[in-house]
Structures are given as structure tokens and as C-alpha cells.
Amino acid sequence: MSDPISPEPATVDLTPPRGVVTVYSDIWCSFAHIAVHRLHTTRARLGLAEQVSFDLRAFPLELLNDAPSPRPGTDSEVARMAALEPSAGWQLWQAKDWLYPSTTLPALEAVLAAKEQGLHASEQLDLGLRRAFWAESRCISNRKVILDVAGDSGAVDVGALAAALDDGRARRTLSEHAAVSRTDRVNCSPHLFLSDGSDHANPGIDVGWEGAYGIGWPVIASDDPKVYEDILRRAATE
């Protein structure tokens, strides 16, 4: 039996139903780490945990760039981005150099596979994997680390996730997300989409760079965390 034909990127619907925020991002992206943290904390503060869910989709930078994300780039971002949102959890890499992840594809695939258990399971695994990388210096390309984070989340059936990783059932979805990310429909990591048809690339943060990526550092022109209040209220009501 032949494989089903994947949808063309232009036909993929980016507009979620009311009560869902679609988030294209990579775990390697410090801006996405801030965005996801702010989505979770603002949702909790507004009391919208029962009204709004997050549909995490992959913006796999290593596939878009045809290369792993350079460690000097992520290292250069830690101090500057941590100053914007310290509570998201940050540290310079503390584990052995050879434990630094060479890919985020297994972690991204796990987040997609966890959707079989519901958006809550997926979003909690995604949040845990981001903290594992940025705040705990854990090798999120390693299967055991991914499953350990899943167990720590309290929201994921680890056995079911392990089975999904073993048979690769979310791999095609990851490839489809990569194809959409290559188009001009998704501009960056993170890029959010709402049911009212609006979209928000790197919400609230206006950033430039001093020097080349991996050599220079991010320069933040402005940062407005309150945009997440509007995003979440609109997601709940529009």
C-alpha cells in the first residue's frame, strides 16, 4: 500500500479553532523559549487554562538551514535574553561539551507525537524540553532524556510516547511542518496564529543583531510582554 500523499504547504490551514494558539517554533530558539514561557505564565495569570490550549508545531531550524544550530549562537543569546525574562530559566551550558545536543529533531518529534494524548500533554512536554535545554543543560537529542522529561511533566503517558517514537509515527508531520516553515507563510521562530486570522511573529520583541550570528549578539530595541495578554484573550473569545 502506498503512503498517503502529504498536503502541499500552501494548502495547510494555519488558522486554529477558537481557544487554540498555533505556535511554530524550534526548541533551540531563545526567542521561542521566552514566547512559550510567556504564553504559559500569562494564561495562568489570566485564568484561561481551561479556555486556551497551545498547538506546538515544528520550525526546525537545522532543516531550514541545512546545518545544526551553532552553539556559539545559542551561547551568545543566553545573557541578553535571560535579562528579558529571567523566570523562564537560563544558564550557559554546564554539562560536558560532548553532551551538547547536535539536533532537536527527536525532541520536536516527541512533542508532535505527544499530541495523540492531547494538546495538554504536548504543550507540557514542549515546555519541559525547553527548560531541560536552556535551564538544565540536558541533552534533549537523547531518547532517555526526552522520556525522562516526559515523565517529570506529570502529563504524558511515557510508555505511549516511547511507542510513538519507536515507530516514528510523528516523523511525517515533522517533515510537513518543515515544508510549511520554508514558505513565507511562517516567518520565524516563534510565529503564532489565532482563530481570528491574525498572526504574530516573535510577539512583543523588536530585535536586531550586532555582528554575524554566532559571533555577535542580539540587540533588543523594545520588548512588550503585555502583548501576550491580548493574544490570549483574543484566542479565548474570537
Side-chain angles (χ1 to χ4, degrees):
M1 183 174 65
S2 62
D3 291 336
I5 298 174
S6 298
E8 290 296 323
T11 68
V12 174
D13 187 5
L14 301 185
T15 304
R18 189 177 75 175
V20 176
V21 180
T22 295
V23 183
Y24 276 85
S25 69
D26 199 345
I27 297 172
W28 256 330
C29 175
S30 63
F31 297 94
H33 183 43
I34 287 178
V36 169
H37 173 78
R38 287 176 173 175
L39 283 170
H40 280 269
T41 56
T42 307
R43 181 178 65 176
R45 178 163 48 81
L46 296 178
L48 294 175
E50 299 298 321
Q51 289 79 28
V52 180
S53 298
F54 309 136
D55 180 2
L56 280 305
R57 301 189 182 183
F59 188 94
L61 289 165
E62 66 199 88
L63 297 184
L64 304 179
N65 297 329
D66 290 325
S69 185
R71 179 177 168 183
T74 53
D75 283 352
S76 73
E77 295 172 3
V78 168
R80 187 64 187 94
M81 305 311 291
L84 294 185
E85 196 61 59
S87 61
W90 308 85
Q91 64 180 16
L92 286 172
W93 186 256
Q94 298 299 303
K96 300 292 186 181
D97 285 346
W98 51 267
L99 288 175
Y100 191 86
S102 60
T103 176
T104 60
L105 295 184
L108 292 170
E109 181 182 339
V111 170
L112 300 179
K115 288 184 188 179
E116 288 187 338
Q117 303 176 37
L119 290 182
H120 178 68
S122 177
E123 66 184 36
Q124 293 302 311
L125 177 59
D126 173 84
L127 181 64
L129 288 168
R130 293 178 192 277
R131 289 192 62 87
F133 174 65
W134 288 103
E136 299 167 1
S137 299
R138 297 168 73 182
C139 182
I140 59 169
S141 59
N142 179 265
R143 184 178 186 276
K144 185 179 185 304
V145 171
I146 292 170
L147 295 178
D148 285 346
V149 172
D152 292 341
S153 74
V156 179
D157 181 327
V158 177
L161 178 62
L165 293 179
D166 288 344
D167 65 27
R169 68 191 69 166
R171 207 154 299 153
R172 178 181 292 275
T173 302
L174 176 59
S175 295
E176 291 169 354
H177 290 182
V180 175
S181 297
R182 287 189 181 97
T183 72
D184 59 6
R185 303 176 70 202
V186 183
N187 296 335
C188 64
S189 170
H191 199 158
L192 281 54
F193 297 83
L194 303 184
S195 61
D196 63 4
S198 65
D199 64 278
H200 308 265
N202 201 17
I205 298 179
D206 181 12
V207 61
W209 287 87
E210 178 66 30
Y213 184 73
I215 299 175
W217 55 88
V219 177
I220 308 301
S222 62
D223 176 36
D224 180 14
K226 291 185 178 179
V227 299
Y228 286 89
E229 295 182 8
D230 178 63
I231 287 171
L232 287 160
R233 288 193 173 105
R234 290 168 66 181
T237 59
E238 293 295 335

